[in-house]
Amino acid sequence: MLLQFTPEQKAQEIDWQIIYNQNRSCPIIPRFKRIFQIGLFIVEVCFRFIVFKSFYKKNKRLYLKRQGNWLRKKLLTMGAAFIKAGQFMSLRPDIIEDEICQELDELQDKVPPFSPKLAKEIIENELQSQGKTFQECFSYFGEEPIAAASMGQVHRAKLKKSGEEVVIKVQRPKVFEIIKLDIMIFR
């Protein structure tokens, strides 16, 4: 007789594997560090948006503008999952004040890029896993990204064989692991 699990039971099993570190998919120390970061972020948000609010009764717009600016910068430091949450919040002026939405709107198209040197290393590692080198594949690689987002960034390049101009999308370093950990913590 075969046992069948519901999707909820399968998800719970994955959570327990991560918690007990059976598959080494999420090491213990980074997990606790991330839980601490998220907890501190939640405390800061509560403090700033509840306690500080009473100090700015006269100039509410200035208060909201400053808090929106702080929140945008903080979401950028917290990583891809939080940037995505900020992007979503920027689209909800019915829930969040307009001044904060305007600040968070910058997360839609003004995410800072990571270093081009790191992007090149990521591409080189990927090519090495396929038995190729960077110099074999590209005659030109644009150091400055043409776009950057919460999950990655895009660089111009030119293929060596065909001379065709292409764009290369490079995933942010360790973004998958961080998002996986964040989703596990949020659950």
Side-chain angles (χ1 to χ4, degrees):
M1 176 176 203
L2 255 141
L3 292 174
Q4 291 188 340
F5 295 102
T6 65
E8 292 82 19
Q9 290 171 323
K10 287 179 185 177
Q12 188 176 23
E13 176 62 27
I14 291 170
D15 288 347
W16 282 111
Q17 286 177 359
I18 291 171
I19 289 167
Y20 289 113
N21 208 19
Q22 292 174 349
N23 291 338
R24 298 276 183 228
S25 61
C26 187
I28 291 278
I29 301 295
R31 185 174 351 141
F32 286 127
K33 183 180 175 188
R34 189 65 176 166
I35 289 169
F36 181 76
Q37 284 177 329
I38 292 171
L40 187 60
F41 171 73
I42 291 168
V43 168
E44 282 182 287
V45 167
C46 290
F47 189 79
R48 286 178 159 272
F49 285 88
I50 295 170
V51 176
F52 278 4
K53 196 172 191 174
S54 62
F55 296 123
Y56 284 91
K57 288 184 179 176
K58 291 180 183 175
N59 198 343
K60 186 178 176 184
R61 289 182 59 98
L62 176 65
Y63 162 76
L64 292 172
K65 185 83 169 154
R66 285 182 179 170
Q67 297 303 59
N69 186 28
W70 172 83
L71 184 59
R72 177 181 49 81
K73 289 177 182 176
K74 191 66 176 181
L75 291 172
L76 284 170
T77 64
M78 291 297 290
F82 287 85
I83 293 170
K84 286 289 180 198
Q87 290 171 343
F88 174 73
M89 289 187 298
S90 75
L91 301 172
R92 297 303 309 261
D94 57 324
I95 298 173
I96 299 172
E97 300 285 343
D98 285 339
E99 291 83 357
I100 295 174
C101 283
Q102 288 170 2
E103 283 292 324
L104 294 179
D105 194 44
E106 290 186 24
L107 295 174
Q108 299 289 353
D109 58 359
K110 294 182 183 171
V111 177
F114 56 93
S115 106
K117 182 180 176 184
L118 184 57
K120 197 171 181 178
E121 286 176 22
I122 292 169
I123 296 167
E124 285 174 345
N125 289 338
E126 186 67 30
L127 289 172
Q128 282 177 353
S129 70
Q130 297 175 8
K132 299 176 182 174
T133 66
F134 193 84
Q135 290 74 22
E136 286 176 6
C137 296
F138 303 107
S139 60
Y140 167 77
F141 178 76
E143 293 290 322
E144 282 300 310
I146 55 175
S150 59
M151 301 289 190
Q153 63 189 34
V154 180
H155 291 267
R156 292 183 195 277
K158 192 171 192 179
L159 297 177
K160 199 168 200 171
K161 268 188 176 176
S162 66
E164 184 180 6
E165 290 187 12
V166 295
V167 292
I168 304 171
K169 186 173 182 182
V170 185
Q171 193 174 42
R172 286 189 180 273
K174 299 184 181 179
V175 73
F176 177 75
E177 291 85 5
I178 294 168
I179 289 177
K180 183 175 161 183
L181 178 59
D182 286 349
I183 289 172
M184 190 274 298
I185 291 169
F186 293 154
R187 282 185 76 166

